[in-house]
Amino acid sequence: MTATAVPLTNNQNGEGASVVSSPEETRPARPAGSSVDVRALLERGRTLCTPVLREAIGRLAPPMDRVSAYHFGWTDAEGRPTEGDGGKAVRPALALLSAQAAGVPAEIGIPGGVAVELVHNFSLLHDDLMDGDEQRRHRATVWTVFGPAQAILVGDAMFALANEVLLEAADKGGATGVDAGRAVQRLTLATRKLIDGQAQDLSFEHRDRVSVEECLEMEGNKTGALLAASASVGAVLAGIDDAGADALERYGYHLGLAFQAVDDLLGIWGATEVTGKPNFGDLRQRKKSLPVSAALAEGGKASVRLAELLADPQGRGDEDEEQLAVRAALIEEAGGRAWTAEEARRQHRTALAALDEVPMSAIVREQFAALAEFVVVRER
Amino acid sequence: MTATAVPLTNNQNGEGASVVSSPEETRPARPAGSSVDVRALLERGRTLCTPVLREAIGRLAPPMDRVSAYHFGWTDAEGRPTEGDGGKAVRPALALLSAQAAGVPAEIGIPGGVAVELVHNFSLLHDDLMDGDEQRRHRATVWTVFGPAQAILVGDAMFALANEVLLEAADKGGATGVDAGRAVQRLTLATRKLIDGQAQDLSFEHRDRVSVEECLEMEGNKTGALLAASASVGAVLAGIDDAGADALERYGYHLGLAFQAVDDLLGIWGATEVTGKPNFGDLRQRKKSLPVSAALAEGGKASVRLAELLADPQGRGDEDEEQLAVRAALIEEAGGRAWTAEEARRQHRTALAALDEVPMSAIVREQFAALAEFVVVRER
């Protein structure tokens, strides 16, 4: 698979070069000017966390253990081992790094990495069912293979396991009881935001328009909150003070918003694998994304025309390529594409600035920055 | 509504009188020989915990707050306040009492009472959806009124809120950070058992028979584990040692099993409100309950005949009253009814014995005993 340029090339002031990649280059494992090997960081997260994750999943009553193994890509639907990639595993990598930010070995962050991965996958299992999504990571989703009840039940079990694993960190001597409790408290608040975000996302489906502020709040809840917990949980287990934990959370939160802004651009102008043309996928699904909200807020001629098209009940959900291309052009004309690209750069800068508030080694800081660039510079 | 005798009257050795009530009497607020006013204990649980519960629910993003208020019976489907009874609220009452068992005021147990009530209702929301149940407490279930997505989402939110409320006990000075973490850890393990129990219950639907041991394990998970957490959470917040917490958990766990045994008897031989005749409801649903499992394990002539009838695919789910009455009679002949009644008494005695392992005031012990009797002696 070739990497696709993040469509931020209508950047007029030359800022935010770090989130712009040329169409020719593949995703950079070592960003220009950095000696960090991001793939090795991600690989470390997987290598250290996956055995603990598998042990935790092994505690679930059948068939929940088997359903989980399928979901994580460890087995196929019949339970035979597969060579699944299990996703990028950015969250565990952040959790391990955050332990190092607090001056302790990465291993102290392992229960945190496993916990955030469990919460992430709990939300995927439930969201896929609520949204009726039939595919995830090019495989059939759990609810389509094992039924809705298993998707609900296994999601619930993963949520509980997340807290179980974190609290065991205290029993096993990796953290004090107080710090394990603090970690659960922060993860719980992040999970509540995740749930709030999904509630907001569902409620947006029934509306014609959503303000930029509402869209940012929803995306911060759905994506920012758990990345915030990921980037701080290892440090919290290591006893970092609340100010330090808050700063690491801000890094993760704004990183999530930068990721989401890029995702929203790719959702409209990202190229399809087959045709290489813009996919317009989010427009087809009438998703209330940042480019749309920003374009509707602009108020000029193109903005008003876009609002008329979106409010028209005729042919809803049945738009052809040409009609979708017209909408994409109106969004661009109303400045929705440029605003969202600039927003991605702003959020990326804010994330990096938060790192400066926490005393940590230069190497760890550089690794956090490299992971941020990896997350923001995206394949389709 | 008149109270119905718990059908334990085929008690041959005169033991376990406390779980036998005559058909004439209503549910005793003050069991014979006890000066405890159980209704006042339950009322105290509701009075102290409901405001905190309502405040917590108020934190949820719309429409989850409104959906929750409907579920708890505080409002109707349109959001208008109603005079709902909100259930018996045994769990909050136990949580407050458990704080007193550790020698602190009942109020220290409030976050615990709210947390167990939230976990209980999280499981009701999800189980009703998984089981396709359309009625709960004589009202339409949340998934039928607001849709499956809201039932999933609001359940998730309540689960998260439970931990949030418990951990706030430390912030507000009602517990140390370590004790709040211990309380979350015990509640998390109980919740995992609850989920395991639902997984087992679902898997039993695909089987013709289930052993008595499997049935007891499932019921212990589904009902015992959360009553165990309820009966100990206040004491854990108050800093009771692990041995004391374990003993209080045993009281709650075996109380749950006693409750469930009685429930299984009522599920077959409990009278319907309309006809006053046995309802056979669990037989109609082919539920794998204790009387059935015990009868199938007995192995005599009636037991074998029962197994044949249950294994017969003909007319499955379509049995008439007469066929159900034949099955009920076979279960009774094979000793399933008597065994389950005796099991209820055994579990009740085991629950009371666990109380002796914890030093507590005579009054608190008597209140625990009275609540146990209230839970086991049941209306239909």
Side-chain angles (χ1 to χ4, degrees):
Chain A
M1 179 165 46
T2 57
T4 304
V6 175
L8 305 182
T9 40
N10 54 347
N11 169 20
Q12 283 143 16
N13 53 12
E15 277 185 10
S18 65
V19 293
V20 178
S21 59
S22 75
E24 295 76 31
E25 73 184 353
T26 56
R27 180 169 55 189
R30 291 170 196 261
S34 164
S35 61
V36 177
D37 184 344
V38 170
R39 287 212 184 84
L41 269 181
L42 294 171
E43 185 57 35
R44 181 182 71 168
R46 272 193 293 266
T47 305
L48 291 180
C49 292
T50 304
V52 180
L53 181 62
R54 280 186 175 244
E55 183 279 318
I57 291 297
R59 299 177 202 176
L60 301 182
M64 295 190 292
D65 49 355
R66 200 159 49 82
V67 173
S68 301
Y70 171 81
H71 170 79
F72 281 114
W74 303 333
T75 58
D76 63 17
E78 282 73 42
R80 291 178 295 243
T82 51
E83 292 282 327
D85 68 352
K88 289 191 291 290
V90 169
R91 291 169 191 80
L94 285 172
L96 300 188
L97 207 48
S98 86
Q100 293 179 286
V104 303
E107 283 74 9
I108 295 295
I110 292 174
V114 173
V116 293
E117 201 65 354
L118 283 165
V119 169
H120 176 54
N121 283 282
F122 139 70
S123 78
L124 295 181
L125 283 163
H126 284 191
D127 287 4
D128 283 343
L129 174 58
M130 286 185 250
D131 301 340
D133 289 338
E134 296 178 1
Q135 291 270 318
R136 152 104 29 218
R137 297 173 194 147
H138 305 291
R139 303 167 80 224
T141 46
V142 160
W143 72 269
T144 66
V145 178
F146 301 97
Q150 288 301 324
I152 296 171
L153 208 51
V154 173
D156 292 345
M158 287 189 190
F159 184 10
L161 266 186
N163 293 327
E164 195 170 316
V165 169
L166 265 187
L167 288 161
E168 282 168 357
D171 300 334
K172 292 176 181 170
T176 67
V178 168
D179 288 331
R182 289 171 67 222
V184 170
Q185 192 164 25
R186 283 177 182 266
L187 183 60
T188 299
L189 290 170
T191 308
R192 280 245 295 112
K193 286 187 184 171
L194 200 67
I195 296 164
D196 279 358
Q198 171 69 1
Q200 290 160 337
D201 203 9
L202 289 173
S203 77
F204 290 175
E205 283 176 17
H206 307 294
R207 294 167 54 180
D208 274 336
R209 64 194 295 170
V210 163
S211 74
V212 169
E213 290 68 31
E214 288 175 313
C215 195
L216 285 172
E217 189 191 340
M218 182 274 282
E219 294 187 345
N221 282 335
K222 256 193 111 157
T223 306
L226 192 58
L227 280 174
S230 306
S232 59
V233 66
V236 173
L237 288 173
I240 201 171
D241 62 15
D242 281 337
D246 289 346
L248 289 172
E249 283 201 1
R250 272 198 297 284
Y251 158 83
Y253 186 81
H254 292 286
L255 179 58
L257 280 171
F259 169 91
Q260 206 49 65
V262 172
D263 207 57
D264 283 356
L265 289 169
L266 290 169
I268 299 175
W269 291 283
T272 68
E273 231 167 289
V274 180
T275 65
K277 290 183 186 172
N279 62 48
F280 303 136
D282 284 358
L283 294 181
R284 195 170 284 114
Q285 294 174 40
R286 307 180 74 86
K287 196 178 146 191
K288 312 299 183 303
S289 67
L290 278 179
V292 178
S293 296
L296 290 173
E298 192 253 358
K301 203 174 139 192
S303 172
V304 170
R305 178 72 190 126
L306 178 69
E308 286 167 4
L309 288 176
L310 291 177
D312 186 359
Q314 285 246 311
R316 186 165 282 199
D318 207 28
E319 295 86 358
D320 61 23
E321 288 296 303
E322 205 175 326
Q323 289 172 304
L324 294 174
V326 166
R327 290 171 190 201
L330 288 171
I331 293 168
E332 194 156 353
E333 202 182 324
R337 184 176 188 173
W339 184 88
T340 305
E342 182 53 33
E343 177 68 8
R345 286 186 284 270
R346 269 194 300 272
Q347 295 290 352
H348 188 197
R349 281 196 301 271
T350 308
L352 295 181
L355 291 177
D356 294 335
E357 300 171 43
V358 188
M360 63 179 92
S361 79
I363 294 170
V364 172
R365 191 182 313 274
E366 208 184 334
Q367 289 175 324
F368 267 124
L371 269 176
E373 185 155 336
F374 172 84
V375 166
V376 173
V377 177
R378 299 272 305 289
E379 294 182 24
R380 65 167 158 256
Chain B
M1 179 163 53
T2 57
T4 303
V6 175
L8 304 183
T9 41
N10 53 348
N11 170 19
Q12 283 145 17
N13 54 12
E15 275 184 12
S18 65
V19 293
V20 178
S21 59
S22 76
E24 296 77 31
E25 73 184 351
T26 55
R27 180 168 52 188
R30 292 170 195 262
S34 164
S35 61
V36 177
D37 184 345
V38 170
R39 287 212 184 83
L41 270 181
L42 294 171
E43 185 57 33
R44 180 181 73 167
R46 271 192 295 267
T47 305
L48 292 180
C49 291
T50 303
V52 179
L53 181 62
R54 281 186 173 243
E55 184 279 318
I57 291 296
R59 300 177 201 176
L60 301 182
M64 295 189 292
D65 50 354
R66 199 158 49 82
V67 174
S68 301
Y70 171 82
H71 170 78
F72 281 114
W74 304 333
T75 59
D76 64 16
E78 281 74 42
R80 291 177 296 242
T82 52
E83 293 279 329
D85 68 352
K88 291 191 290 291
V90 170
R91 291 170 192 79
L94 285 172
L96 300 189
L97 207 49
S98 85
Q100 293 179 288
V104 302
E107 284 75 8
I108 296 294
I110 293 174
V114 173
V116 293
E117 201 65 353
L118 283 165
V119 169
H120 176 55
N121 284 281
F122 138 71
S123 79
L124 295 182
L125 283 163
H126 284 191
D127 288 3
D128 283 344
L129 174 58
M130 286 185 252
D131 300 340
D133 288 337
E134 297 178 1
Q135 291 269 320
R136 152 108 26 221
R137 297 173 195 146
H138 304 291
R139 301 167 82 223
T141 46
V142 160
W143 72 269
T144 67
V145 177
F146 300 96
Q150 288 301 325
I152 296 171
L153 208 52
V154 173
D156 293 345
M158 286 188 191
F159 185 8
L161 266 185
N163 293 327
E164 196 171 316
V165 168
L166 266 188
L167 288 162
E168 282 168 359
D171 300 334
K172 292 176 178 167
T176 68
V178 168
D179 288 331
R182 289 171 67 222
V184 171
Q185 192 164 25
R186 283 178 182 266
L187 182 59
T188 298
L189 290 171
T191 309
R192 280 245 295 110
K193 286 187 185 171
L194 200 65
I195 296 164
D196 278 358
Q198 172 69 1
Q200 290 160 337
D201 202 8
L202 289 174
S203 77
F204 290 176
E205 284 175 15
H206 307 295
R207 294 168 53 180
D208 275 337
R209 64 194 295 170
V210 163
S211 74
V212 169
E213 291 69 29
E214 288 175 312
C215 195
L216 285 173
E217 189 192 341
M218 182 273 283
E219 294 187 345
N221 282 335
K222 256 193 111 158
T223 306
L226 193 59
L227 280 174
S230 305
S232 59
V233 64
V236 173
L237 287 173
I240 200 172
D241 61 15
D242 281 338
D246 289 346
L248 289 172
E249 282 200 1
R250 272 196 297 282
Y251 158 83
Y253 186 81
H254 292 285
L255 179 58
L257 279 171
F259 169 91
Q260 205 49 66
V262 173
D263 207 57
D264 283 357
L265 289 168
L266 290 169
I268 299 175
W269 292 283
T272 68
E273 230 166 293
V274 180
T275 65
K277 290 183 185 170
N279 61 47
F280 302 138
D282 284 356
L283 294 180
R284 195 171 284 113
Q285 294 174 39
R286 306 179 74 86
K287 196 177 145 190
K288 313 298 184 303
S289 68
L290 278 179
V292 178
S293 296
L296 290 173
E298 191 252 0
K301 201 174 143 195
S303 173
V304 170
R305 179 70 191 129
L306 178 68
E308 285 167 3
L309 288 176
L310 292 176
D312 186 358
Q314 285 245 312
R316 186 165 282 200
D318 207 29
E319 295 85 358
D320 62 23
E321 287 296 302
E322 204 175 327
Q323 288 171 305
L324 295 174
V326 167
R327 289 170 190 201
L330 288 171
I331 293 168
E332 195 156 350
E333 201 182 324
R337 184 176 188 173
W339 185 89
T340 304
E342 182 54 33
E343 177 68 8
R345 287 185 284 270
R346 268 194 300 271
Q347 296 290 352
H348 188 197
R349 281 196 301 272
T350 308
L352 295 181
L355 291 176
D356 294 334
E357 300 170 44
V358 188
M360 64 179 91
S361 79
I363 295 170
V364 172
R365 191 181 314 274
E366 207 184 336
Q367 288 175 324
F368 268 124
L371 269 176
E373 184 154 337
F374 172 84
V375 166
V376 173
V377 177
R378 299 273 305 290
E379 293 182 24
R380 64 165 159 258

